[in-house]
């Protein structure tokens, strides 16, 4: 079928909306008409570093929409169901069986290879392949082919702009706190970076009863949002090394838990300085290389956590987040700024300049 998709032709190149062709669903695939798609830093960092030989490429991995058709072997959803699309996993390896599909042994092949696990791509243009299946979806498009394993049914009346970010950024931030750190009420939490992931971690910390919750973020408007969501304080990292002293003071001698969304070597060094003995440092940001003073880690008994997708089982966790949102306890809608699908480049600019915390593309 003919669809419209935001195609990237060269590494770091722009998103250009154009017509492409999409295959019919294979036996365990689900055809979804996309109603909204979140823009995530992972889309931008992947776009910038994507191999030229795997282009043109369609990104997008926070899709939501309505099921239009299903493959012959699909049992979990039917046409007409409203769904959120999330990361793909095999369902058969030890980590998937244990309820930790974010650490699936086939994670890269299923989510970041530019195609399905068998190397094929469901997209083409003029008979030439267009790479896709990003996170098992490539949802920067009017329609996407997902797999039944990364398709989660949701209530039909949930606003699409709220539903879309649940598939990655929101579940990453919230899950890092609720699934991995599991803080006790009254324990201190510091969140470095107040984008969609960081503010989701803030909301989860408030929900878990963390006290205080403190944010470190350079954009003043985002610091204000963090405070409005329940953070006791929001600090500007421009204060330099004084930030460590401020965090030690605010947390009564050191934070029990720190979530870093930046992968900034400078901020991670400061995070270690602001952590109390036997504290937890969770890393969620995409980065390259960071050096740690091993003796600092040993002498403090620091526990490092590398966290992908909030260590979530989406089929369980996304419905839990939806229930919390409907109870007014997890106001993810306050993070969202919507853009028409055709204005995807404006959404990207909003994310980069800090004016949009969680840009969400909305489709007709």
């Amino acid at each position: 079928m003919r669809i419209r998709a935001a195609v990237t032709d060269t590494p770091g190149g722009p998103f250009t909306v154009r017509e492409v062709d999409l295959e019919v669903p294979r036996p365990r695939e689900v055809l979804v008409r996309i109603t909204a798609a979140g823009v995530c830093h992972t889309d931008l960092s992947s776009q910038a570093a994507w191999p030229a030989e795997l282009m043109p490429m369609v990104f997008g991995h926070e899709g939501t929409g309505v099921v239009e058709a299903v493959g012959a072997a699909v049992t979990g959803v039917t046409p007409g169901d409203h769904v959120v699309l999330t990361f793909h996993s095999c369902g058969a390896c030890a980590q998937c069986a244990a309820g930790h599909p974010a650490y699936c042994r086939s994670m890269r092949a299923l989510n970041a290879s530019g195609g399905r696990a068998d190397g094929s791509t469901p997209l083409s243009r003029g008979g030439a392949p267009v790479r896709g299946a990003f996170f098992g979806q490539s949802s920067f498009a009017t329609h996407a082919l997902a797999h039944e394993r990364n398709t989660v049914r949701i209530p039909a009346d949930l606003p699409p702009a709220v539903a879309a970010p649940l598939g990655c950024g929101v579940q990453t931030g919230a899950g890092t706190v609720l699934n991995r750190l599991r803080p006790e009420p009254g324990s201190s939490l510091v969140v470095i970076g107040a984008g969609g992931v960081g503010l989701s971690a803030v909301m989860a910390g408030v929900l878990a009863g963390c006290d205080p919750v403190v944010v470190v973020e350079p954009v003043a408007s985002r610091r204000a949002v963090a405070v409005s969501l329940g953070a006791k304080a929001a600090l500007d990292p421009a204060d330099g090394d004084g930030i460590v002293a401020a965090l030690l003071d605010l947390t009564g001698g050191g934070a029990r838990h720190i979530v870093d969304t930046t992968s900034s070597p400078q901020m991670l060094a400061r995070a270690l300085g602001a952590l109390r003995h036997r504290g937890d440092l969770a890393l969620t940001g995409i980065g390259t290389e960071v050096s740690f003073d091993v003796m600092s880690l040993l002498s403090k008994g620091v526990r490092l956590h590398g966290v992908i997708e909030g260590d979530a089982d989406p089929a369980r966790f996304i419905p839990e987040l939806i229930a919390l949102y409907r109870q007014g306890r997890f106001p993810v809608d306050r993070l969202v700024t919507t853009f028409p699908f055709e204005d995807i480049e404006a959404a990207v600019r909003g994310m980069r300049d800090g004016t949009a915390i969680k840009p969400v593309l909305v489709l007709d």
Side-chain angles (χ1 to χ4, degrees), residues 222-298:
R222 293 186 175 192
R223 295 199 298 270
V225 172
V227 172
S228 73
L229 290 172
K232 179 178 180 180
L235 309 178
D236 188 343
D239 293 341
D241 290 336
I243 204 82
V244 175
L247 290 172
L248 291 172
D249 180 61
L250 286 164
T251 59
R256 177 67 181 82
H257 307 285
I258 296 181
V259 175
D260 175 76
T261 71
T262 69
S263 287
S264 160
Q266 186 178 52
M267 288 310 305
L268 286 169
R270 291 170 178 166
L272 283 178
L275 203 61
R276 70 178 53 190
H277 283 71
R278 302 186 68 248
D280 295 278
L281 174 57
L283 311 178
T284 68
I286 295 176
T288 51
E289 236 176 75
V290 176
S291 297
F292 290 107
D293 177 357
V294 174
M295 283 310 299
S296 294
L297 298 176
L298 296 178

Side-chain angles (χ1 to χ4, degrees), residues 18-36:
R18 60 178 68 140
E19 289 188 343
V20 298
D21 293 313
L22 181 66
E23 293 180 359
V24 298
R26 291 184 175 184
R28 294 198 174 276
E29 290 182 336
V30 180
L31 174 65
V32 178
R33 175 175 59 83
I34 300 297
T35 55

Side-chain angles (χ1 to χ4, degrees), residues 88-94 96-97 101 104-107 110-111 147 149:
H88 194 6
S89 57
C90 76
C93 69
C96 285
C104 173
R105 68 183 176 190
S106 300
M107 187 69 172
L110 294 173
N111 293 275
H147 191 277
R149 269 197 62 79

